[in-house]
Amino acid sequence: MSVLAGVNTKVLKNGDPAPAPPAAGTFRIYNMRFCPWAQRALIYASVKNIPSEVINIHLQEKPDWYFSKHYKGQVPALEHDEGKKHVIESAVIPEYLDDLFPETRILPTDPYERVQQRLLLDRLSAVAPAFYGAAQAVKNQEGRAEKFAEVLKAFENAENLLTADFYSGTSKPGFVDYLIYPNIQRAYWLAHVLKDSDFPISATDFPGPNFPKLTKWYKALEAIPEVAAASQPTEYGVGFVNEFLKGTPNYDYGL
Amino acid sequence: MSVLAGVNTKVLKNGDPAPAPPAAGTFRIYNMRFCPWAQRALIYASVKNIPSEVINIHLQEKPDWYFSKHYKGQVPALEHDEGKKHVIESAVIPEYLDDLFPETRILPTDPYERVQQRLLLDRLSAVAPAFYGAAQAVKNQEGRAEKFAEVLKAFENAENLLTADFYSGTSKPGFVDYLIYPNIQRAYWLAHVLKDSDFPISATDFPGPNFPKLTKWYKALEAIPEVAAASQPTEYGVGFVNEFLKGTPNYDYGL
């Protein structure tokens, strides 16, 4: 049973009343079920076993009150202390949760090792704009070859930077593994949509034979129950991407 | 006497031999005298009283060996432990120095207060692209009005977010103050270059009467000896910006 409550509830949108503040001692994560950034917070809460209430937000018709949780109206936002504390940004919330719950710390305690995890995440981050670029190129053929080449380059870089079983540098997944997984998973979904095209990433044995280390890594990550509990099934992810590519994202896809 | 040694030495460039690794127990910062990002590391080392050797790098003719210090060849890079440890990124190096030297910690110890400082720095960061946009608009008039408007907007935002004497939220400067100061200072230099134009920021009582809190803030920051030791004199900064705008930056300006 997952510690995440309400992951699969419908989005709140403009006109919907604001939820009551979270009860004392409880955590709330504002989310969108298919958002890779928000998923970082869900995975971290799940792996650290922090009971959390999840509220999904309609990202095109945002409720006015949501801007009091996140000044830009983006997800994720973490809310606690009876609604008095808010933390935003997908790479910051996990570090904050490690600081609040050091007994389940995922980041290393050594300052140099910790800082290297932050810097490694930066080096992998090209995966995300490459995905969005490729998704754009599906809708608008202009620059398609260059945009697909960017995806290939980002995955080659990710393959090269994987020097152990996990990006933690050990045989156990760590901060970078949990945070980059959602971005890699978006390319997995897109590979299903584009499986009969020249998209350089394979949906079968994803990301395919050119990336033997990443293939093993991805299988290991997706098999972790706490990661699965914070993820949407492939069928829904692929369905969401299909509608997203048509310009009509359905944030409640599959519900 | 500043703890920063070698700030005003000429840049090393392609063809120059690599310096010997820093001695055991000593720190080195790779810098460019007019780079606002590198200046963040210098200010932090200066305020924390960490004796550091500064080596300046030619950013257009980079030495090959420099890519072993920073994989992208940018500044700043922090090197220590006899050349075995490297930390990069202007917002990461200061946090790392606070972790290594907690007795002179600048960031708050409370996790929530600390994370709010990181997020506040993000909210102020539009000052930097606004400066580069305005500098571009000086060279190429296209979009000049919009780019100057971006500077005004970034400074209005910075004025509104200053709710105490300093961005630390207290009467003592903190992490955000030290890190955003170099970016604000670049606009000060540019305001000198553009002082008889429609540039929305004043070089006199910088940034001018529309920004009373920032005006007081800037004067307070520039008067701190440790900040001044990590900064170039206004005359050199303005001279550098003038040549930068012509497309011929002189990294050794004033030496």
Side-chain angles (χ1 to χ4, degrees):
Chain A
M1 174 78 193
S2 168
V3 292
L4 304 175
V7 174
N8 290 309
T9 50
K10 293 197 173 184
V11 289
L12 298 186
K13 63 183 175 185
N14 197 16
D16 288 333
T26 70
F27 286 78
R28 176 181 291 165
I29 299 167
Y30 293 94
N31 180 56
M32 189 282 279
R33 287 163 54 240
F34 302 100
C35 171
W37 313 108
Q39 193 181 342
R40 290 175 164 189
L42 297 191
I43 291 176
Y44 228 74
S46 180
V47 170
K48 287 176 71 73
N49 211 25
I50 303 166
S52 305
E53 175 198 16
V54 179
I55 289 186
N56 293 311
I57 299 293
H58 194 302
L59 296 184
Q60 290 187 331
E61 300 169 37
K62 296 171 183 173
D64 285 343
W65 51 259
Y66 187 60
F67 290 87
S68 71
K69 316 296 182 186
H70 189 308
Y71 77 104
K72 284 183 182 169
Q74 299 169 342
V75 293
L78 177 75
E79 183 176 38
H80 72 117
D81 201 11
E82 302 178 69
K84 291 194 288 289
K85 287 185 178 160
H86 296 94
V87 176
I88 61 174
E89 294 297 336
S90 68
V92 173
I93 292 170
E95 286 200 54
Y96 179 62
L97 292 175
D98 263 358
D99 283 341
L100 287 190
F101 299 102
E103 66 280 8
T104 55
R105 171 172 286 286
I106 291 170
L107 277 161
T109 50
D110 176 78
Y112 188 72
E113 289 176 27
R114 187 162 66 244
V115 86
Q116 294 306 313
Q117 285 281 292
R118 280 179 69 178
L119 296 172
L120 181 56
L121 182 65
D122 274 356
R123 290 188 72 163
L124 289 167
S125 62
V127 168
F131 162 79
Y132 290 108
Q136 281 304 116
V138 173
K139 289 193 272 186
N140 172 357
Q141 298 288 313
E142 200 184 338
R144 178 182 173 114
E146 290 77 8
K147 282 168 178 163
F148 281 13
E150 284 298 315
V151 174
L152 181 60
K153 197 173 132 196
F155 271 76
E156 284 172 348
N157 179 50
E159 176 80 7
N160 291 336
L161 289 172
L162 188 54
T163 56
D165 288 348
F166 295 101
Y167 289 109
S168 61
T170 74
S171 58
K172 263 188 68 177
F175 176 82
V176 174
D177 301 285
Y178 294 130
L179 268 65
I180 204 65
Y181 175 76
N183 300 113
I184 303 269
Q185 190 185 43
R186 295 307 172 280
Y188 180 52
W189 294 347
L190 188 60
H192 282 76
V193 173
L194 298 177
K195 64 175 177 242
D196 298 316
S197 79
D198 54 339
F199 191 60
I201 302 298
S202 169
T204 310
D205 287 328
F206 169 84
N210 293 331
F211 311 97
K213 291 184 289 178
L214 265 182
T215 301
K216 198 176 150 216
W217 175 90
Y218 190 78
K219 276 192 185 19
L221 260 290
E222 78 176 344
I224 298 170
E226 291 81 3
V227 172
S231 302
Q232 291 295 316
T234 303
E235 177 194 353
Y236 293 173
V238 174
F240 176 80
V241 169
N242 250 318
E243 302 205 356
F244 174 78
L245 293 180
K246 290 176 196 149
T248 52
N250 173 4
Y251 300 117
D252 288 332
Y253 192 96
L255 297 185
Chain B
M1 174 81 192
S2 169
V3 292
L4 304 175
V7 174
N8 290 310
T9 51
K10 291 195 175 187
V11 289
L12 298 186
K13 61 184 178 185
N14 197 15
D16 288 332
T26 70
F27 287 78
R28 176 181 290 166
I29 299 167
Y30 293 94
N31 180 55
M32 189 282 279
R33 287 162 57 239
F34 302 99
C35 172
W37 313 108
Q39 193 182 344
R40 291 176 164 189
L42 297 191
I43 291 177
Y44 228 74
S46 179
V47 171
K48 287 176 70 76
N49 212 24
I50 303 167
S52 305
E53 175 198 18
V54 178
I55 290 186
N56 293 312
I57 299 294
H58 195 302
L59 297 184
Q60 289 186 332
E61 299 169 38
K62 296 172 184 175
D64 286 343
W65 52 260
Y66 187 60
F67 290 86
S68 72
K69 316 295 182 187
H70 189 308
Y71 76 104
K72 285 184 182 169
Q74 299 169 343
V75 292
L78 177 76
E79 183 176 39
H80 72 117
D81 201 10
E82 303 179 65
K84 291 194 288 290
K85 288 186 177 160
H86 296 94
V87 176
I88 62 173
E89 294 297 336
S90 68
V92 173
I93 291 170
E95 287 201 53
Y96 179 62
L97 291 175
D98 263 356
D99 283 342
L100 288 190
F101 299 101
E103 65 282 7
T104 55
R105 171 172 286 285
I106 291 170
L107 276 162
T109 50
D110 175 78
Y112 188 71
E113 290 176 27
R114 186 163 66 244
V115 85
Q116 294 308 312
Q117 285 282 291
R118 280 179 69 177
L119 296 171
L120 180 56
L121 182 65
D122 274 355
R123 291 187 71 163
L124 289 167
S125 62
V127 168
F131 162 79
Y132 291 108
Q136 280 304 115
V138 173
K139 288 193 271 186
N140 172 357
Q141 299 287 315
E142 201 183 340
R144 179 183 173 114
E146 291 77 7
K147 282 168 178 163
F148 281 13
E150 284 299 316
V151 174
L152 181 61
K153 197 173 130 194
F155 271 76
E156 284 172 347
N157 180 50
E159 176 80 7
N160 291 335
L161 289 172
L162 189 54
T163 56
D165 288 348
F166 295 100
Y167 288 108
S168 60
T170 73
S171 58
K172 265 188 67 179
F175 176 82
V176 174
D177 302 286
Y178 294 130
L179 268 66
I180 204 66
Y181 175 76
N183 300 112
I184 302 270
Q185 190 184 43
R186 295 307 171 280
Y188 181 53
W189 295 346
L190 188 59
H192 281 77
V193 173
L194 298 177
K195 65 174 178 243
D196 298 316
S197 80
D198 53 340
F199 191 60
I201 303 297
S202 169
T204 311
D205 287 329
F206 168 83
N210 293 331
F211 312 96
K213 291 184 289 179
L214 266 181
T215 301
K216 199 177 150 215
W217 175 90
Y218 190 77
K219 277 192 186 14
L221 260 291
E222 77 176 344
I224 298 170
E226 291 82 2
V227 172
S231 302
Q232 290 296 315
T234 303
E235 177 194 353
Y236 293 172
V238 174
F240 176 80
V241 169
N242 251 319
E243 302 205 356
F244 174 78
L245 293 180
K246 289 176 198 151
T248 52
N250 174 4
Y251 300 117
D252 288 333
Y253 192 96
L255 296 185

